[in-house]
């Protein structure tokens, strides 16, 4: 009996030992598994920390600077996360929000800096514009007192500086600085032409159905500023030997349109897209977005478009360069009174016939407002030819025989003839047709001397007693600066 009890106890002890050993082995195995798991987790955490550190370094060194650069250069790439799979969702979201926050902060700071710069430039432009206007009035007085052609050159350079100052003021949301009355549309085009350095290359064609079509007072000077910027672009980006045709016409919708063509270098797709965005009249254009040096032409036109209601479109020109179309809506147009005299420099509508009088006067070729032009080719024999628009001046041998024209009944013009050799008194006169001839280019000194002689003759004519006689022949340079539509300061 005792033996059985001892055997049972031994069995129980053996079983208990086996169970305990098995449990110890399982616990040891679990401990090893937990240690291995902890080690893997530690290594994973260390890898995530290293990846996050690298992402923060890239955020500070690359992503935020690239995002700031992209605000000025929209095509600049902004890098993203280096290892998106190694970054948890919250961490990736926070990093992206950091980039957006930096972008917002940069935009706000740029806005404050730009506003401060605009304010400073606006005040400075107003003072400079006032001084330039005073200089212009003084130069006009000197032109009547002295016959020095250098005064004309100073006046023109003063006009160029005034245009740049006006453009800067407009870009800074300032008033254009000049008040006008209702002004003829063609005279405004001539005034804009006189503000451009290459004015002699600009050829204006008047296709208006109404010769006295005009702009309302509040839009006259803004349109002149905008057109001057477009003309400056056309002359600056085209060859000096090419012309810049300007066409003024009315649209079927009772509005008007001014077309400016050039045969320049054109624009690529990115530049054209940028120009159209500026000409669309955006609500805000930062000065820092205009380049270095800033290209303000289209930005100035866009500001005026947004403020005064006309529109502008740019596209490729059939001349090889670019064409800008400046559209003027009907509510900005009016018709000036018949008793108001138009500038003699304004080109006549090409479709309108010129009335023929008993003493016809030749129609003169327009010249830029405010600038000297070539003297008129008046008939030395006192017998003016038929009123033909834009007829070139006769040559010396033609002028010598201009007085021998055939007599016609009253009310009809006489036709001039030309001959290369002296005609006998008994030879019958035959009519001649006007021969087109290339205009002779003159130096600035020759033009200044002609203008000075014209001024001297004008002053002496004013001081002489008035003697009744036939009406004098019109001259394209005979009008003072007050008759040129853009000089109403």
């Amino acid at each position: 009996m005792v033996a059985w009890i001892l055997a049972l106890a031994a069995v129980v002890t053996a079983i208990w030992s086996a169970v305990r050993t098995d449990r110890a082995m399982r616990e040891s195995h679990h401990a090893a598994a937990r240690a291995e798991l902890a080690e893997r987790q530690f290594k994973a955490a260390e890898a995530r920390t290293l990846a996050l550190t690298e992402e923060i370094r890239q955020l500070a060194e690359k992503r935020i600077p690239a995002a700031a650069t992209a605000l000025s250069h929209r095509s600049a790439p902004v890098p993203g996360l280096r290892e998106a799979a190694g970054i948890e969702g919250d961490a990736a979201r926070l990093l992206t929000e950091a980039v957006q926050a930096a972008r917002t902060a940069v935009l706000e700071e740029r806005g404050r800096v730009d506003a401060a710069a605009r304010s400073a430039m606006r005040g400075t432009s107003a003072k400079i514009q006032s001084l330039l206007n005073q200089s212009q009035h003084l130069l006009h007085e000197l032109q009547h007192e002295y016959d020095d052609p250098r005064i004309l050159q100073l006046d023109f350079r003063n006009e160029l500086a005034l245009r740049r100052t006006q453009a800067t003021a407009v870009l800074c949301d300032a008033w254009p600085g000049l008040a006008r009355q209702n002004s003829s549309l063609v005279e405004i085009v001539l005034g804009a032409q006189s503000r451009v350095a290459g004015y002699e290359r600009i050829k204006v064609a008047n296709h208006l159905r109404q010769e006295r079509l005009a702009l309302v007072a509040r839009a006259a000077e803004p349109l002149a500023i905008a057109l001057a910027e477009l003309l400056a672009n056309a002359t600056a980006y085209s060859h000096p030997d090419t012309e810049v045709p300007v066409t003024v016409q009315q649209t079927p919708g009772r509005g008007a349109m001014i077309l400016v063509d050039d045969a320049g270098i054109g624009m690529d797709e990115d530049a054209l897209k940028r120009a159209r965005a500026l000409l669309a009249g955006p609500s805000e254009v930062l000065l820092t977005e205009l380049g270095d040096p800033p290209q303000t032409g289209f930005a100035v036109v866009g500001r005026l478009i947004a403020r005064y209601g006309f529109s502008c479109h740019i596209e490729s020109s059939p001349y090889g360069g670019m064409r800008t179309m400046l559209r003027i809506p009907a509510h900005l147009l009016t018709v000036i009174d018949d008793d108001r005299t138009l500038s003699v420099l304004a080109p006549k509508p090409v479709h309108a016939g010129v009335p023929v009088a008993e003493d016809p006067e030749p129609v003169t070729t327009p010249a830029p407002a405010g600038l000297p032009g070539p003297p008129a080719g008046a008939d030395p024999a006192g017998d003016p030819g038929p009123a033909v628009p834009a007829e070139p001046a006769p040559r010396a041998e033609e002028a010598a025989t201009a007085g021998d024209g055939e007599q016609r009944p009253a009310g009809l013009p006489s036709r001039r003839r030309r001959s290369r050799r002296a005609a006998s008194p008994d030879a019958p006169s035959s009519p001649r047709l006007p021969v087109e001839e290339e205009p002779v280019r003159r130096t600035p000194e020759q033009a200044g001397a002609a203008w000075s002689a014209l001024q001297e003759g004008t002053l002496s004519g004013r001081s002489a007693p008035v003697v009744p006689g036939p009406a004098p022949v019109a001259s394209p340079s005979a009008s003072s600066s007050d008759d040129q539509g853009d000089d109403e300061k």
Side-chain angles (χ1 to χ4, degrees):
M1 186 67 181
V2 174
W4 286 99
I5 293 173
L6 292 174
L8 181 59
V11 171
V12 171
T13 302
I15 294 174
W16 178 78
S17 298
V19 171
R20 186 175 179 182
T21 303
D22 183 65
R23 183 182 298 175
M25 292 178 61
R26 286 199 304 267
E27 288 178 356
S28 175
H29 180 72
H30 289 321
R34 285 195 299 270
E36 185 180 357
L37 178 60
E39 185 178 1
R40 288 199 303 268
Q41 291 176 348
F42 174 77
K43 291 182 178 180
E46 187 178 13
R48 287 195 299 269
T49 302
L50 182 60
L52 184 59
T53 303
E54 292 297 328
E55 291 296 339
I56 294 174
R57 180 180 292 110
Q58 185 184 10
L59 177 70
E61 296 178 356
K62 296 182 179 180
R63 296 186 64 187
I64 291 179
T69 304
L71 296 176
S72 301
H73 304 82
R74 302 183 186 276
S75 59
V78 179
L81 296 173
R82 294 180 57 187
E83 299 179 3
I87 304 298
E88 297 180 355
D90 292 340
R93 178 177 55 81
L94 291 175
L95 290 173
T96 304
E97 289 180 356
V99 175
Q100 296 296 334
R103 189 197 303 268
T104 303
V106 171
L107 285 176
E108 292 177 354
E109 187 62 24
R110 286 178 60 184
R112 286 191 292 269
V113 172
D114 195 82
R118 286 175 185 272
S119 178
M121 293 176 62
R122 186 163 53 243
T124 304
S125 299
K127 294 179 181 179
I128 296 176
Q129 190 171 353
S130 176
L131 293 175
L132 291 175
N133 283 327
Q134 296 174 15
S135 301
Q136 191 174 51
H137 286 295
L138 180 60
L139 289 171
H140 287 175
E141 293 177 0
L142 292 176
Q143 289 178 20
H144 291 282
E145 296 179 8
Y146 301 97
D147 295 334
D148 192 344
R150 291 176 295 180
I151 299 178
L152 297 175
Q153 300 177 6
L154 287 176
D155 185 35
F156 179 57
R157 282 159 177 77
N158 185 83
E159 188 70 30
L160 295 180
L162 183 59
R163 179 179 70 84
R164 297 307 314 145
T165 306
Q166 279 185 305
T168 303
V170 169
L171 191 60
C172 297
D173 299 326
W175 181 59
L178 181 63
R180 287 175 177 257
Q181 56 183 343
N182 294 348
S183 302
S184 168
L185 181 57
V186 179
E187 290 181 351
I188 291 177
V189 175
L190 294 179
Q193 178 184 2
S194 69
R195 305 180 186 186
V196 179
Y199 67 90
E200 70 280 353
R201 297 166 48 202
I202 301 173
K203 308 301 179 183
V204 181
N206 183 358
H207 291 266
L208 295 177
R209 296 188 299 270
Q210 293 176 298
E211 184 178 1
R212 292 184 170 271
L213 190 68
L215 257 77
V216 296
R218 66 183 180 89
E221 182 63 17
L223 181 70
I225 296 175
L227 183 58
E229 293 298 322
L230 297 178
L231 293 176
N233 282 342
T235 54
Y237 291 98
S238 58
H239 196 274
D241 293 337
T242 60
E243 294 183 352
V244 178
V246 178
T247 306
V248 187
Q249 62 187 28
Q250 291 179 253
T251 59
R254 297 172 53 190
M257 179 183 295
I258 302 175
L259 303 179
V260 180
D261 290 284
D262 66 76
I265 59 178
M267 303 172 69
D268 56 28
E269 290 297 328
D270 292 338
L272 184 58
K273 183 178 179 180
R274 176 64 176 162
R276 287 174 176 172
L278 291 174
L279 292 175
S283 58
E284 182 180 11
V285 178
L286 297 178
L287 299 178
T288 53
E289 295 179 346
L290 300 179
D292 184 19
Q295 298 178 354
T296 60
F298 290 142
V300 171
V301 178
R303 299 302 296 167
L304 294 171
I305 286 174
R307 192 180 307 176
Y308 293 96
F310 43 87
S311 61
C312 185
H313 177 72
I314 184 170
E315 61 183 21
S316 298
S317 171
Y319 292 86
M322 303 305 297
R323 163 177 286 180
T324 52
M325 296 175 284
L326 191 60
R327 295 184 180 90
I328 307 166
H331 68 273
L332 295 179
L333 296 174
T334 184
V335 178
I336 57 178
D337 299 332
D338 294 338
D339 56 353
R340 181 174 167 184
T341 304
L342 297 178
S343 171
V344 296
L345 301 177
K348 298 296 182 181
V350 295
H351 68 277
V354 181
V356 180
E358 194 167 337
D359 253 343
E361 296 181 358
V363 177
T364 59
T365 303
L371 296 172
D379 189 2
D383 185 14
V388 180
E391 181 181 0
R395 294 182 301 213
E397 61 268 19
E398 298 174 9
T401 59
D404 300 330
E406 179 181 355
Q407 299 295 328
R408 300 290 184 184
L412 295 178
S414 59
R415 302 172 70 94
R416 291 176 293 183
R417 67 177 183 177
R418 60 186 281 248
S419 176
R420 295 189 177 273
R421 55 186 178 83
S424 60
D426 299 331
S429 61
S430 58
R432 71 169 181 87
L433 296 178
V435 179
E436 294 187 359
E437 196 172 282
E438 289 292 332
V440 180
R441 292 184 179 273
R442 300 189 301 170
T443 63
E445 290 76 11
Q446 293 175 340
W451 182 264
S452 300
L454 177 62
Q455 284 187 329
E456 184 179 354
T458 302
L459 293 177
S460 62
R462 289 176 179 173
S463 60
V466 179
V467 179
V473 178
S475 171
S477 307
S479 63
S480 66
S481 60
D482 295 336
D483 294 331
Q484 302 170 3
D486 192 57
D487 288 338
E488 299 172 4
K489 303 296 183 186

